[in-house]
Amino acid sequence: MRWVRETPAHWDTDKKRVLGDLAPELFGFGSPGVGDVLADEWWRVEDGDQIIGYGRLDDTWGDAEILVLVDPRRRRSGVGAFILARLEEEAAARHLNYIYNVVPDRHPDPEKVTGFLAAHGFTPNSVGELRKKVPAEGA
């Protein structure tokens, strides 16, 4: 698998495909059109000539909200763990303190997402975030 930074990131048919049945509005993207520029930092995961996932990092005040998106056909195959590890590396390189995710209230399967993050060391806090301390760069 290859980790490729998208600079700048745009909404495209691959992101729509990887999002599957989930609406972009669920993640605060609004209703993007093909070619619209996306905020934050984005990377795609390639397996050969196929895009199989995306990672997003939005850093603010020493922490970063993350998003892990995996092609529905590749879920439960290690792609999400690969993306999460790369996002942790990106956060460590920026000397951030924590990475976190907030599972949207309307997410169709919040238990699965919460379980995935918990299995990778994220813990819930009192404001609904799942947080993980960023390891020191190279650790």
Side-chain angles (χ1 to χ4, degrees), residues 85 87-97 133-139:
L87 289 172
E88 286 184 31
E89 290 170 2
E90 298 291 346
R94 291 162 178 72
H95 306 288
L96 298 175
N97 299 308
K133 179 83 172 127
V134 174
E137 186 175 12

Side-chain angles (χ1 to χ4, degrees), residues 6 12 14 16-17 21 23 32 34 38 40 66 73 98 103:
E6 294 190 342
D12 55 33
D14 285 314
K16 182 178 170 74
R17 177 183 50 77
D21 293 336
V34 171
L38 297 173
D40 310 320
I66 62 163
R73 298 169 298 186
Y98 288 89
V103 180

Side-chain angles (χ1 to χ4, degrees), residues 64-112:
E65 183 176 11
I66 62 163
L67 179 63
V68 174
L69 298 173
V70 177
D71 184 316
R73 298 169 298 186
R74 295 294 295 264
R75 291 182 185 152
R76 305 189 66 73
S77 69
V79 176
F82 176 85
I83 294 169
L84 192 53
R86 300 297 79 72
L87 289 172
E88 286 184 31
E89 290 170 2
E90 298 291 346
R94 291 162 178 72
H95 306 288
L96 298 175
N97 299 308
Y98 288 89
I99 54 176
Y100 68 94
N101 183 273
V102 178
V103 180
D105 291 335
R106 298 181 340 248
H107 194 286
D109 201 353
E111 294 83 15
K112 185 181 285 185

Side-chain angles (χ1 to χ4, degrees), residues 115-139:
F116 168 78
L117 292 170
H120 288 89
F122 285 73
T123 56
N125 67 14
S126 62
V127 296
E129 299 169 341
L130 291 143
R131 298 177 71 77
K132 182 177 183 180
K133 179 83 172 127
V134 174
E137 186 175 12

Side-chain angles (χ1 to χ4, degrees), residues 11 15 18-19 22 27 29 42 45 52-56 67-71 75 79 83:
W11 185 256
K15 286 183 185 69
V18 168
L19 207 55
L22 301 173
F27 302 100
F29 303 149
W42 285 78
V45 179
I52 59 172
Y54 290 94
R56 180 185 62 105
L67 179 63
V68 174
L69 298 173
V70 177
D71 184 316
R75 291 182 185 152
V79 176
I83 294 169

Side-chain angles (χ1 to χ4, degrees), residues 2 14 17 44-52:
R2 282 187 348 130
D14 285 314
R17 177 183 50 77
R44 68 180 177 268
V45 179
E46 299 175 346
D47 187 10
D49 61 354
Q50 182 77 28
I51 295 172
I52 59 172

